[in-house]
Amino acid sequence: AQSVTQLDSQVPVFEEAPVELRCNYSSSVSVYLFWYVQYPNQGLQLLLKYLSGSTLVKGINGFEAEFNKSQTSFHLRKPSVHISDTAEYFCAVSEPFYNQGGKLIFGQGTELSVKP
Amino acid sequence: NAGVTQTPKFQVLKTGQSMTLQCAQDMNHEYMSWYRQDPGMGLRLIHYSVGAGITDQGEVPNGYNVSRSTTEDFPLRLLSAAPSQTSVYFCASSRPMTGKTEAFFGQGTRLTVV
């Protein structure tokens, strides 16, 4: 069975500082990896995804993530955050099998709070 | 293009009442799913469907029923509401079925059971 662990439940950071949100996963098979963002009172929006190929993935709003197979990690980074990045961030995995229908297993979420 | 539409946005139920949360998508996606979001637990899969007429259970299916009679609609039924079902519910859709593409989420239904 797969599982996803987000190592920080809350991350406070000052505006224009760098940030890293950590995500580890566990799976006996190859997986696809995703980061979603949820702004207050809204649904989830895809930030970026790793399917295969280059381990450094760039997404929207200046975010990027690096897939590390040996450490089973998929950490999200941004070199300089803005107030508007304040949101909850979710790491998720899915199995690449036809009959699984792309089911997503989510981590617990990390609340990013950007302060002026 | 509306994407994934959930209704209602808010609902208060009394213990023991039943109700249906509606979900519709206009992207012709094969795959649809229901998640519940609880503080500190992320999103957990309730039920999913890989096409019309096909549904299966997710991680937390107890107390919920689903059906998929059309590609567009995937309603979630609470049979007898309990306070433990107080949560925010999200419907999602995606294609193709291999999990490669992103899931599109609705805006959520905030349900309170008293």
Side-chain angles (χ1 to χ4, degrees):
Chain A
Q2 303 154 340
S3 65
V4 178
T5 302
Q6 292 182 241
L7 299 170
D8 306 292
S9 59
Q10 295 179 323
V11 174
V13 64
F14 288 106
E15 194 174 18
E16 297 184 4
V19 70
E20 178 180 79
L21 306 184
R22 297 179 294 167
C23 172
N24 286 351
Y25 70 93
S26 172
S27 178
S28 58
V29 299
S30 296
V31 295
Y32 299 138
L33 295 155
F34 304 83
W35 275 100
Y36 283 85
V37 60
Q38 183 182 32
Y39 298 105
N41 299 314
Q42 294 191 22
L44 278 72
Q45 178 185 1
L46 182 71
L47 270 180
L48 48 79
K49 61 185 176 184
Y50 172 80
L51 305 180
S52 64
S54 173
T55 57
L56 184 62
V57 180
K58 294 189 183 297
I60 62 172
N61 300 339
F63 284 93
E64 63 180 32
E66 186 161 16
F67 170 59
N68 188 318
K69 187 174 182 179
S70 62
Q71 297 187 5
T72 59
S73 67
F74 191 53
H75 300 334
L76 181 70
R77 302 185 182 100
K78 186 169 183 178
S80 176
V81 295
H82 303 288
I83 298 288
S84 59
D85 293 323
T86 294
E88 190 156 21
Y89 293 79
F90 292 95
C91 181
V93 302
S94 74
E95 289 183 346
F97 300 129
Y98 182 84
N99 63 353
Q100 294 300 309
K103 291 185 295 183
L104 289 167
I105 305 299
F106 285 89
Q108 300 89 333
T110 297
E111 287 187 24
L112 176 64
S113 175
V114 181
K115 304 179 186 303
Chain B
N1 191 341
V4 180
T5 303
Q6 290 184 237
T7 55
K9 287 186 169 51
F10 301 94
Q11 184 70 50
V12 179
L13 285 180
K14 294 182 179 179
T15 298
Q17 286 185 318
S18 63
M19 78 160 294
T20 299
L21 279 63
Q22 301 292 343
C23 176
Q25 53 94 5
D26 60 1
M27 297 173 282
N28 201 30
H29 286 172
E30 298 99 338
Y31 176 64
M32 296 185 74
S33 54
W34 277 101
Y35 295 85
R36 59 177 289 173
Q37 181 181 19
D38 302 292
M41 303 187 75
L43 282 78
R44 292 178 293 169
L45 183 64
I46 304 172
H47 286 285
Y48 67 100
S49 169
V50 298
I54 306 170
T55 64
D56 205 347
Q57 296 181 350
E59 183 184 358
V60 289
N62 292 341
Y64 307 96
N65 272 0
V66 292
S67 60
R68 183 98 178 269
S69 57
T70 67
T71 299
E72 295 77 19
D73 300 299
F74 191 45
L76 178 72
R77 298 181 187 86
L78 279 69
L79 308 174
S80 177
S84 61
Q85 294 178 304
T86 293
S87 186
V88 181
Y89 292 84
F90 288 99
C91 179
S93 73
S94 66
R95 75 178 308 185
M97 296 165 61
T98 56
K100 278 190 174 183
T101 58
E102 68 178 284
F104 291 83
F105 285 82
Q107 294 296 295
T109 295
R110 187 174 296 273
L111 175 68
T112 302
V113 182
V114 298

